[in-house]
Amino acid sequence: MSDRGGHGREPAGLDGLPPLHSVAKGEVVSVQSYGAFVRLPGYKKEGLVHVSEMSASRVENASEIVDVGEHVWIKVIGREIQGDKVKLSFSMKAVNQGTGQDLDPNNVMADQDARRRKQFRDHTSNRITLEAVLNTTCSKCGCKGHFTKDCFSAPGLQYALVPEEDDEEAQQQQTATNRPPQDSDKKKKKKEKKMKKKKKRERKESDSDSSSECKTKRRRHSNSLDRQEKKKKKHKKQKSHKHS
């Protein structure tokens, strides 16, 4: 925590600070999204009430609970020394805001919260760094991203994973979709050839049908002519007989 009053250097120890687990009423001097800073009367230090310590229910923003200048009841749940600075942690949910009664007299909730904070704290203070992937190809296994000397593959036979049935079906579908358009062009050409052959056959059949019809018509016509001639000849013969 920082000294907002600006009265000299931060204390090196915990002297002159409110005792741990004590309950007091203070004034909200600053509201941030992560919590509110509260100043206690008679003390220069300001303590932080984190959003997780404002209410038993979930709080998204500290401005939903408190405003600047508002007086609230707090309980001192933490005092930490970091170098020459001292951090004070307050809790509002551990105190009844109407009467100022301590709702956690045995400090069970405070101990549980402190344990949680210690579990998630990084004592190494080391930053996480991302390593770049090497743009190299291993001459031993043929994989990318490492040198031959760092290769973990052992000499001998190399085995590949057998794909499952679902994977095989998916691969078949992919190969079917990724086939070159030459196959489809060949199929189209074959279909066109078949259609042409069918049309030729139909034409031939139609021509043959038409020729047969013409032949039958000619035969009928010739037969009719023969009949007419025969009738004429008969008629002439009958006439000649009558005259004689």
Side-chain angles (χ1 to χ4, degrees):
M1 297 298 301
S2 61
D3 188 359
R4 294 179 181 270
H7 298 288
R9 191 179 178 185
E10 297 288 345
L14 298 176
D15 297 335
L17 297 176
L20 190 63
H21 301 146
S22 61
V23 177
K25 195 170 187 179
E27 181 183 359
V28 179
V29 295
S30 177
V31 178
Q32 305 295 330
S33 59
Y34 53 86
F37 292 95
V38 179
R39 181 182 296 162
L40 300 179
Y43 296 98
K44 295 185 295 180
K45 292 296 300 178
E46 297 170 2
L48 173 64
V49 181
H50 194 262
V51 288
S52 61
E53 295 293 336
M54 286 187 170
S55 175
S57 59
R58 183 178 177 83
V59 179
E60 297 291 339
N61 198 321
S63 60
E64 299 174 1
I65 304 297
V66 294
D67 292 324
V68 176
E70 186 177 353
H71 289 79
V72 295
W73 287 97
I74 58 92
K75 182 176 182 177
V76 182
I77 59 172
R79 300 189 305 175
E80 297 179 4
I81 300 175
Q82 294 183 353
D84 292 339
K85 294 183 179 181
V86 178
K87 285 188 176 182
L88 291 176
S89 299
F90 297 158
S91 175
M92 289 173 56
K93 68 180 182 181
V95 185
N96 189 333
Q97 295 300 313
T99 61
Q101 181 184 358
D102 189 356
L103 300 178
D104 186 25
N106 296 323
N107 304 318
V108 176
M109 290 191 299
D111 292 339
Q112 289 177 352
D113 293 339
R115 287 174 187 173
R116 289 194 195 99
R117 286 194 294 271
K118 287 180 180 179
Q119 287 177 357
F120 291 101
R121 189 174 299 163
D122 184 13
H123 296 283
T124 60
S125 69
N126 292 328
R127 293 182 179 181
I128 299 173
T129 57
L130 299 176
E131 296 181 358
V133 179
L134 297 173
N135 189 17
T136 58
T137 304
C138 177
S139 60
K140 189 176 181 180
C141 64
C143 297
K144 294 182 178 181
H146 63 274
F147 295 105
T148 306
K149 63 179 181 179
D150 299 329
C151 185
F152 58 86
S153 64
L157 297 175
Q158 293 184 356
Y159 297 93
L161 296 175
V162 178
E164 296 182 358
E165 294 180 357
D166 297 336
D167 296 336
E168 288 179 355
E169 291 178 358
Q171 287 179 0
Q172 289 177 358
Q173 290 178 358
Q174 287 181 357
T175 53
T177 54
N178 295 329
R179 280 179 182 174
Q182 294 179 357
D183 297 338
S184 61
D185 294 338
K186 289 180 180 179
K187 289 181 180 179
K188 286 181 180 179
K189 288 180 180 179
K190 286 182 180 179
K191 286 182 180 180
E192 288 177 357
K193 286 182 179 179
K194 287 182 180 179
M195 291 296 290
K196 286 180 180 180
K197 287 181 180 180
K198 284 183 180 180
K199 287 180 179 179
K200 285 182 180 179
R201 287 176 185 175
E202 290 176 355
R203 286 177 184 174
K204 286 181 180 179
E205 289 176 356
S206 63
D207 293 338
S208 62
D209 293 337
S210 61
S211 62
S212 61
E213 287 178 358
C214 292
K215 286 179 181 180
T216 51
K217 285 180 180 180
R218 287 174 184 174
R219 285 175 185 176
R220 287 176 184 174
H221 185 65
S222 62
N223 291 331
S224 62
L225 290 173
D226 292 338
R227 286 174 185 174
Q228 288 177 2
E229 287 179 358
K230 284 180 181 181
K231 284 181 181 180
K232 285 179 181 180
K233 285 179 181 181
K234 283 181 181 181
H235 188 65
K236 284 179 180 180
K237 282 181 180 181
Q238 287 177 359
K239 281 183 179 182
S240 63
H241 285 296
K242 284 180 182 181
H243 287 294
S244 61

